[in-house]
Amino acid sequence: MTHSTTTMRLYQHAVREGGVEPLHAAELLRVSDEEAAAAVSQLRELGLLRRQSIAHTRLVAINPQTAAAERVGPREHSLRAEQSRLAVQRAAIEAFMPVHLEAAMGQDPAEGVEVVDDPELLHKMISEMTEVCQVEACVIQPFGIRTQEEADRGLPKYLELLGRGVAQRTLCQHSTRYSSITKQGVADLCAAGAEVRTLDVLPPRMIVIDRSQAILPGPDDAELSVVVRNTALARYLAAVFDTFWMTAEPFAGLHQGSREREISRGIDSAITRLLATGAKDEVIARRLGISLRTCRRRIAHLMDDFGADSRFQAGYLARQYEEESGTAPAGPPPTPALCAVPEAAAQAS
């Protein structure tokens, strides 16, 4: 709640003068009657102005701490009691966790896997998982933070985790380094102690909590998600995450330093690999998390750099140059690096 200048001035006057007559407030402050009445009403609602007695209309100023104790104190006490009751209930439920983990070690891999098709239920389950997270959260979020709504919904949850000492590692694709929303979000996370890295290509989104629970996207349906509570399977997914993490590039958000050119080369390298497989522009753009327009512009530059007549030929030549030089193409390669392209490749469109 914000307070107007008039409200502040009226309270200040009441403190200095020992009170104020509501009917004279407008004249004292040199404001309209409506503005003065609104200020008096707000201060009385907050408990900061009170009638001196039933027989008097004069209002006296009340100490803010006294007013807060009277107005907010009872509700705070009620909330604390409710939080205490919920904590006891949670502890009683979680006391069964060791039994669950012990039994889960020998369970069938198909058990402990649940398909969820309700987005609201899924968000609730994610919140519950993060609330009980004690050691580490590993997140693969290929496309970063795409909208402000995603940032507003997800960042507070992860910042709360970091605030209570939970380690957090996040993997995104290289393309997210060019998103202003993602860069700001990553900067906020890193400032709170998180680690973020990027790769050219990543599997679909994944969250692994304490290497015992995980959430995966469902098969062939964006509305489905798979909730994993199988410890053995969750540990395997955590190991997959670790494999990607070892080769990923650190990302701090707003301050990328001198690595931007190398990251751009990494994107071009991924494009050439996909071109060499015959992948279409739309598929390449989707896999790398870049726009179709950006993808086609990069492909056109690669074709120009290598003097290629087709997309497939550009991918073949770029891959050949990479293998021979050990680096991703960063411009037209030396002529000797370009050996003859197989006839099938040269004729491919």
Side-chain angles (χ1 to χ4, degrees), residues 275-348:
L275 281 176
T277 68
K280 300 297 184 183
D281 295 354
E282 293 80 0
V283 174
I284 296 174
R286 187 167 59 251
R287 288 288 303 277
L288 299 182
I290 60 178
S291 69
L292 183 58
R293 181 179 179 181
T294 298
C295 179
R296 286 174 172 166
R297 186 179 70 248
R298 285 180 174 270
I299 291 173
H301 288 165
L302 285 169
M303 290 178 64
D304 288 343
D305 289 346
F306 286 92
D309 297 322
S310 70
R311 300 161 67 262
F312 184 89
Q313 185 183 22
Y316 177 87
L317 292 173
R319 290 298 295 158
Q320 182 185 40
Y321 174 70
E322 261 191 77
E323 291 172 2
E324 294 182 359
S325 66
T327 60
T335 302
L338 301 180
C339 64
V341 182
E343 183 177 353
Q347 294 175 353

Side-chain angles (χ1 to χ4, degrees), residues 145-208:
I145 306 171
R146 288 170 289 190
T147 65
Q148 189 59 49
E149 181 182 357
E150 285 186 6
D152 294 340
R153 185 175 66 241
L155 284 178
K157 175 173 55 186
Y158 292 121
L159 289 172
E160 190 274 332
L161 276 178
L162 293 163
R164 53 188 172 88
V166 174
Q168 184 189 318
R169 293 183 293 161
T170 299
L171 281 168
C172 301
Q173 288 182 262
H174 286 332
S175 57
T176 60
R177 292 173 178 260
Y178 305 101
S179 162
S180 57
I181 295 179
T182 296
K183 286 193 292 185
Q184 183 59 63
V186 169
D188 293 342
L189 287 173
C190 290
E195 292 183 84
V196 182
R197 296 185 182 182
T198 64
L199 274 174
D200 48 7
V201 180
L202 283 170
R205 186 179 183 188
M206 175 175 76
I207 304 174
V208 183

Side-chain angles (χ1 to χ4, degrees), residues 217-292:
D220 305 322
D221 190 345
E223 297 300 320
L224 293 178
S225 289
V226 178
V227 178
V228 176
R229 300 186 189 276
N230 180 294
T231 305
L233 181 53
R235 288 179 178 176
Y236 172 80
L237 294 172
V240 171
F241 178 92
D242 290 340
T243 301
F244 283 106
W245 182 262
M246 285 188 294
T247 57
E249 296 286 345
F251 180 31
L254 296 176
H255 307 292
Q256 299 190 52
S258 60
R259 302 197 63 81
E260 189 170 352
R261 180 174 296 181
E262 293 180 30
I263 298 302
S264 182
R265 290 177 181 175
I267 295 175
D268 284 341
S269 179
I271 290 175
T272 61
R273 291 198 302 272
L274 292 168
L275 281 176
T277 68
K280 300 297 184 183
D281 295 354
E282 293 80 0
V283 174
I284 296 174
R286 187 167 59 251
R287 288 288 303 277
L288 299 182
I290 60 178
S291 69
L292 183 58

